[in-house]
Each structure stands twice: as structure tokens, then as C-alpha cells.
Amino acid sequence: MDLRKLKTLIDLVSESNISELEITEADGKVRIVKADPAAPAQPAAAPAVAMAPPAAQPAATAPVQPAAPAEEPVPAGHTVKSPMVGTFYRSSSPGSKPFVEIGSQIKEGEPICIIEAMKIMNEIEADKTGKVTRILCENGQAVEFGQPLFIIE
């Protein structure tokens, strides 16, 4: 999805009365959830994850450029790609268990990671059933649109 289109959707959600929007296109799926100030669970989880990037981001920002060309030859299997630009997280909060590990059996539609974009936590779901054979990003790493995240066989 085009970054300008994504920003427009985020602006529309923030200015409207809707609390959640999910768009599925041929090149990916985007879910935008507006934080509800009355719900204690959502604000408690989001800041915990949002606090992690300042410590990890300076270290993760520098290696992103050299790492991208090295990751271009993608191994065999189905590649799950990032549907947006943001920060990659393997778990819902810093102390919790990762959604998937290498060797995990996953089903289509099951959450496999989170990408934070503009202070919104976007759950990324598996688009294929199978076994995770590789995790191509580090926790807290900045990712680009279309960047390979996982290999599923």
C-alpha cells in the first residue's frame, strides 16, 4: 500500500468516530486501530511497546541500510513481507513471549508480529499456513514497505 494512501487513511480514522479500520488489498492488509482513552488495557500495552524503540532504534537505524542489500536473495519458501514502513516487534510488549519462533507452526490469519507506524501498533497476520523457517528482522528494527520479514514453508 502506498505510504501517502496509508497516511490519508490514518488521518481519516483519527478525525472520524470510527475506532478501527481494516483494508485488504492485493499487496497486503492494513489494520488501523484508534486508541480509546476509556479502555485501560490498550493504553497500558501501547506505551510499553512504544518505550522500547528509543533505546533500540539508534542501534537499529544504522545497520538497516547495509542489511537490505544482503537480504535481497530470499531463500526458498513463502515470504511474508512488511505491508508498511515502521518498527518491527516480535511480541506484543517488551517482556512477553514472541508471537512466533523458528519452527513454529502457524495458521493463515494468526498474528506473527507487530509493526509500529506513527504510534499505532499494527498486528501483522500470517498470509499462509505453514512452518516458520526464518525470521529475517531483529526486534526493534526499522523496516521498509515490502521488506521480507519471515519465510514460511
Side-chain angles (χ1 to χ4, degrees):
M1 180 174 284
D2 182 60
L3 184 58
R4 286 174 281 156
K5 189 175 183 180
L6 181 60
K7 286 181 181 180
T8 303
L9 290 172
I10 291 170
D11 290 339
L12 289 172
V13 170
S14 66
E15 295 170 7
S16 70
N17 291 332
I18 63 171
S19 61
E20 183 173 333
L21 175 68
E22 186 167 318
I23 306 281
T24 304
E25 291 184 346
D27 60 339
K29 181 176 172 180
V30 176
R31 183 172 164 226
I32 302 170
V33 180
K34 187 189 316 184
D36 181 10
Q42 184 73 357
V49 176
M51 286 184 216
Q57 196 162 0
T61 304
V64 171
Q65 297 301 334
E71 293 177 356
E72 282 183 25
V74 179
H78 175 73
T79 304
V80 176
K81 296 180 180 179
S82 176
M84 65 189 72
V85 174
T87 306
F88 173 85
Y89 296 106
R90 293 185 57 202
S91 60
S92 59
S93 64
S96 65
K97 182 180 165 193
F99 289 108
V100 296
E101 298 283 355
I102 294 177
S104 297
Q105 288 290 350
I106 58 171
K107 296 177 184 168
E108 186 174 338
E110 191 175 303
I112 55 175
C113 68
I114 289 178
I115 296 184
E116 176 191 4
M118 298 171 56
K119 303 290 183 202
I120 297 175
M121 304 301 163
N122 302 283
E123 260 187 12
I124 308 303
E125 298 173 348
D127 54 358
K128 181 179 179 188
T129 299
K131 178 179 162 184
V132 176
T133 58
R134 291 201 47 202
I135 300 172
L136 303 171
C137 295
E138 295 295 322
N139 202 37
Q141 177 181 337
V143 294
E144 296 293 323
F145 172 79
Q147 180 176 339
L149 303 175
F150 298 91
I151 303 295
I152 301 173
E153 289 185 353

